[in-house]
Amino acid sequence: MQTIRVSILGPPGAGKGTYASEVARFFGVPHVSTGELLRQEIRKGSELGRRVATYVSRGLLVPDDVVNELVGSRLSQGDCAKGFVLDGYPRTLQQALFLEKHYPLDKAVLLSVSLKVAVERLSGRLYCPNCGETYHVSWKPPRKPGVCDNCGSRLVRRRDDDPEVVEARFREYWRLTLPVVDFYREKGKLLEFDANGDSRELAPRLVSILAGALAKTST
Ligand SMILES: [Zn+2]
């Protein structure tokens, strides 16, 4: 049976979620986001979830063995038999080695985005702490600057989206993930994609490039 196993790699602000969900929809396979898996496990309050929560609440990265366990058990479920699109995984070489051993990828897509674009995207995000509505200063500005259209509350920016924090997250991502990129490049599985434009416009292009590349590898 032909399977489609893809991971979308890229730093914060690259638009991984948008691309991953478009690719998953096109190929009819699940979009597996590690961020979402971790949040679900915390909500379930399982033993693993409580361990995950101790790292997340202190702003620490969840250790590789914990993430591997979580992703491994998700990928073993029936709906992933035809494949999957990973988002946020693998982030480290240890994770990539685990994945390659158990569920080898067909392609790893690297979304390249400049630090300037990432900062612009993420630091422009605002949300309403009262009703939860989200805005962006450039693409979805509120009618009155800094004020929620729905309820009139003052809009705030998540601390994670402060320019200095975005820059630190961006550098940390590359420090951990560059070995992953090299790993897939050496295996001939890396597909680089310039993601500096609007992700909604670019996603269909990535889908068609990927479909072509996968057709080639399967023959
Ligand atoms: Zn509001």
Side-chain angles (χ1 to χ4, degrees):
M1 183 172 62
Q2 163 83 28
T3 59
I4 304 291
R5 292 174 175 172
V6 171
S7 172
I8 309 290
L9 309 172
K16 284 191 291 297
T18 310
Y19 289 101
S21 76
E22 282 300 300
V23 171
R25 204 164 50 118
F26 179 82
F27 290 109
V29 295
H31 168 193
V32 177
S33 147
T34 26
E36 190 48 44
L37 279 183
L38 292 169
R39 281 189 291 274
Q40 262 172 23
E41 205 61 32
I42 293 174
R43 274 199 302 270
K44 270 198 272 174
S46 66
E47 194 271 321
L48 187 64
R50 285 197 298 275
R51 267 198 289 156
V52 167
T54 61
Y55 296 101
V56 173
S57 65
R58 284 181 289 164
L60 299 173
L61 286 179
V62 181
D64 288 336
D65 57 338
V66 176
V67 182
N68 287 344
E69 187 182 333
L70 201 61
V71 172
S73 95
R74 176 68 188 89
L75 299 185
S76 72
Q77 288 170 23
D79 64 336
C80 292
K82 279 184 65 189
F84 48 77
V85 178
L86 286 163
D87 158 10
Y89 183 92
R91 276 198 67 167
T92 66
L93 187 57
Q94 290 312 315
Q95 295 178 5
L97 292 170
F98 173 87
L99 184 66
E100 191 67 13
K101 186 172 166 200
H102 300 283
Y103 301 94
L105 291 180
D106 298 305
K107 286 285 173 205
V109 176
L110 175 63
L111 301 176
S112 42
V113 64
S114 70
L115 174 61
K116 186 172 167 281
V117 169
V119 167
E120 217 168 71
R121 277 185 190 160
L122 298 182
S123 67
R125 298 199 296 195
L126 297 170
Y127 80 97
C128 171
N130 183 45
C131 72
E133 185 65 82
T134 57
Y135 298 88
H136 190 282
V137 289
S138 316
W139 308 312
K140 194 192 165 192
R143 282 192 296 271
K144 199 173 151 204
V147 178
C148 181
D149 292 350
N150 297 342
C151 67
S153 300
R154 179 147 288 282
L155 299 174
V156 296
R157 183 158 72 189
R158 282 171 50 205
R159 205 188 106 65
D160 255 13
D161 292 340
D162 282 345
E164 315 80 65
V165 180
V166 171
E167 188 167 337
R169 286 165 63 207
F170 193 88
R171 296 197 191 287
E172 176 70 356
Y173 178 85
W174 284 115
R175 189 179 69 75
L176 290 169
T177 312
L178 215 46
V180 175
V181 172
D182 290 338
F183 175 79
Y184 287 119
R185 186 179 285 126
E186 275 163 31
K187 292 202 168 299
K189 293 182 174 181
L190 191 71
L191 196 156
E192 291 184 69
F193 187 80
D194 181 344
N196 285 296
D198 183 333
S199 55
R200 280 196 192 82
E201 280 168 28
L202 290 174
R205 247 187 70 209
L206 174 62
V207 165
S208 76
I209 291 172
L210 199 50
L214 290 168
K216 231 179 273 169
T217 42
S218 69
T219 52

